[in-house]
Every structure is written in C-alpha cells, then in structure tokens.
Amino acid sequence: QQLRLLHILSTHLIYYITRETVNKQYSKMVAPNLNSKDYYQILGCSRDADESALKKAYRKLAVKWHPDKNVDSQEATTNFQKVSEAYATLSDPKKRQMYDQYGEEGVKAHEAGADMPGGGMGGFGGFPGGRGGGMGGMSPEEAQQFFAHAFGGGDPFGGMFGMGGMGGGPGIRFSSSMGGGDPFGGGGVGGGDPFSAFLGGGGMGGSMRGSGMGGHGMRGHPGMRSSMPSVAKQYDVIPQGTIVSLKGLVNKSNLNGDRGVVKQYISQSKRYVVELEDSDETLSVKPENLLQHVHVRIHDIQSQPELNGETGTIITWCPDKGRYSIYVASLKKFVSLKPCNVVLDSGTVAKVTGVESKPELNGRWGTIKNWVSESNKYDVQLSSNQIIRLKVENMIL
C-alpha cells in the first residue's frame, strides 16, 4: 500500500514538474488575442515578459494593423488602438506595476492622481499628446502619436527573426542602388528607413534580401563558390531572402498581414516557401498571396513636387484604388501613389500587367534591370535571352 501511494505521488510530482517546465518554456509564445481586455493577452505576452519581448510584440502587431497599411479598415484602426494602448501601459514600469496589482481601473485612478494602496505615487502621466492607459481611452490620433513616439524616430519595423534593429546585422545585404548595376551586389548604408531593417540590416540600398546568397542565388561562403555547381538564374522568381507580407489567404486568413522571408521557390507547384516572422513555421504560398516590401523612388508627382526623388518602402497594395501605400522615411509619413509614380528598385521581380499591344505578356514575371528616366520605362528581363521595355505602370508587385 505504501509503495502504491509512493508511486502515485511520484507520478503526480513528475507531471507537475513537466507541466511547469513546459509552461515556462512556452510562456513567451502566447498567441495575441485582440478580443481580450487583458493587455498581456492582447500583445500575446506572458505576464513576466521583459521590455524587449513587449516591444517586439507591439512592433509586430502595430505594423500589421497600422491604419496606413490597412486603408479604410475600421477593424485595423480599432486593433491598432488596442495594441498601442496595451503597450503604452505595459512599457511604463509604474503603469505596469499598477496594472499588475490593480488592473485597468488601478491605472486610471493612478493617472488621475488618486492614492493607491501600497503608496502609489499618482499622476505619472500618459504618453505624449494622449491620456495614457485604460481600454477605450486612446483615440486613433493618440495611437498614431504613441507609435511615432515609442520608437523615437528609430526603427519600429526592424528586429525580424530575433535580430536587432538598424546597424547592419549579420547575414544581411541589399541590392545595388537605383539605376542599374548588379542587382545582387552589396548595398549602401545609412538612410534611416525604418523598413530597411526587417532583418536587422541597415541602409537604403534596394530591395531587402537575406545574405549568404551567391551570384546565382546559392547559399555558401564566398570562397566556396568556385567549387559549387552553377545554377541558372531564374529571372521570373522572387529571390531568396526577400521580405514579404501575406495577403489574400482564404484558408489561413488570420495570417494575412503577417511578415516572412522567402526561403525557396518550388517550380513544380509554382509556390514559394515562406518562413514566418518570429517563428519556425513555414508556409507554401502562391505568388499572388505575397507582397514584397521593396524600396522605391517617387517620380513625377505634379501635385506634390516636393515628393519627387524621395525614397520609400512599399508597405501595402490597395487593389481597389490601384495604389501603393509607401512609407517615406525622411518625411516620416505614408503616401498613396499610383504605379506610374513609383520606380521599383533594380533587381526587383515584378509581374507584367495591362500590356495591350502584347497581351500574351500579361501575367508573366520578370526582373527589372534598369529604369529609363527619359521615357519612364523599365528594361525587364523575362528569361536569359529575352529583355523587353515596358512602361513603369505595367510592372506591379
């Protein structure tokens, strides 16, 4: 009887230890719940998450639901307010302490200057231009202000796959700058575009791609290239390492807006293998379900000539309006532009559309080799032996 009791106790003890170990291991991997009123659940963080984990969760959700990325979407505006308000509270040590002890009402009372049990200091203020914590207490304008303030003009969109923000992280490079050259060469540094650091790299060189890629898209050390078999360049395939967002998914609509990196192209299925941000999960995706976040140059805006020559990053495509939403780092603002006013970086792989003289070209993909400024046209390479010249508006992502 004693042995039986000992066996039961041992079994329960092993179960408890295993459960606690698993809980601790996955405590940081909680799925965001935007229908919750709990700030931690909204951000998808455990209650013991550190500042780095909170900021990373907020950045990811704020980028996904940013109103300028989701034009005319009330759901996006509401969710953006929710995640901004949650992070506004939890990123402030005093507010977080009050929230952990007394919940949302404690934060509200503390901001109002009420004395709280335990010697609360009261009246520590909100975020610039706003009211601070409290569900439903942050307006869309305040959420935008907090978003800009939270990163202090730094990189709100970097740190993908666990790497840091600006500053040329490992394994990162960019294609050459606008106007030709090797589209897979090294890129410049500087710039300060928040979206240029998706993978921890810096600079405004061109489309954002991972490194470890040889001239033929092969991974490996530069010194090993000569001993590796040559692989034919595919001009109609989005390069490995390109940063993308998911769009138009039906069976996994909850992933729409999530970011990832192109890992591989499967020619048999004509799909891309995409590794999702902050995850080991990969997804097989059709080309039409990907939006590339590439660098562009603004051109020939008659109504706002001050925008001409500015560089930015494509954040989303609005098919109903036929416009890109582009983030211009130097102005710290979004602009909505037609494809005819957007010059895609050399090396970008885009789709041919709207060609009336040769409709058989529509739907094909090709690599932009060069932009001819005089005619506002691209030289587009469709295959190893076919280069055509098309209007800028005939190439879209």
Side-chain angles (χ1 to χ4, degrees), residues 100-353:
D100 289 345
Q101 288 182 305
Y102 308 109
E104 177 188 338
E105 294 303 318
V107 175
K108 288 181 179 179
H110 197 62
E111 287 189 323
D115 292 330
M116 300 299 296
M121 295 175 64
F124 53 87
F127 51 87
R131 289 184 294 275
M135 228 14 156
M138 182 177 282
S139 69
E141 294 75 19
E142 290 168 346
Q144 290 273 23
Q145 289 174 359
F146 176 74
F147 178 75
H149 172 77
F151 298 94
D155 176 16
F157 305 103
M160 190 173 177
F161 294 95
M163 300 183 202
M166 306 291 288
I172 305 307
R173 67 189 181 94
F174 302 91
S175 71
S176 60
S177 59
M178 305 292 293
D182 177 10
F184 302 98
V189 294
D193 182 349
F195 295 91
S196 69
F198 273 113
L199 284 166
M204 283 289 297
S207 46
M208 294 165 282
R209 303 189 181 107
S211 75
M213 306 259 301
H216 298 290
M218 296 285 291
R219 286 187 176 273
H221 191 276
M224 299 172 61
R225 289 175 187 167
S226 60
S227 63
M228 299 179 72
S230 176
V231 177
K233 171 82 172 90
Q234 292 179 283
Y235 295 95
D236 59 346
V237 173
I238 299 172
Q240 281 182 300
T242 301
I243 305 303
V244 296
S245 285
L246 304 178
K247 64 183 181 72
L249 296 177
V250 176
N251 294 332
K252 293 191 175 183
S253 58
N254 61 302
L255 295 179
N256 287 327
D258 281 5
R259 298 185 304 174
V261 61
V262 172
K263 303 297 290 184
Q264 186 181 5
Y265 178 70
I266 309 299
S267 57
Q268 293 86 345
S269 62
K270 296 183 178 180
R271 287 171 173 257
Y272 291 92
V273 176
V274 176
E275 181 181 340
L276 300 183
E277 178 185 15
D278 298 330
S279 170
D280 292 329
E281 181 182 358
T282 59
L283 211 62
S284 176
V285 186
K286 297 178 182 178
E288 56 265 32
N289 296 123
L290 297 178
L291 175 69
Q292 302 173 65
H293 295 293
V294 297
H295 291 310
V296 300
R297 180 170 293 170
I298 299 174
H299 171 71
D300 197 28
I301 301 291
Q302 302 297 325
S303 59
Q304 301 181 71
E306 68 276 8
L307 291 176
N308 294 326
E310 293 285 353
T311 53
T313 308
I314 289 179
I315 303 305
T316 191
W317 165 254
C318 305
D320 296 339
K321 298 182 178 181
R323 289 172 175 261
Y324 293 112
S325 181
I326 297 168
Y327 181 77
V328 182
S330 61
L331 304 177
K332 297 182 180 179
K333 64 181 289 186
F334 286 83
V335 293
S336 179
L337 299 176
K338 296 178 181 178
C340 62
N341 299 120
V342 174
V343 180
L344 299 172
D345 189 17
S346 298
T348 301
V349 175
K351 185 170 68 173
V352 181
T353 183

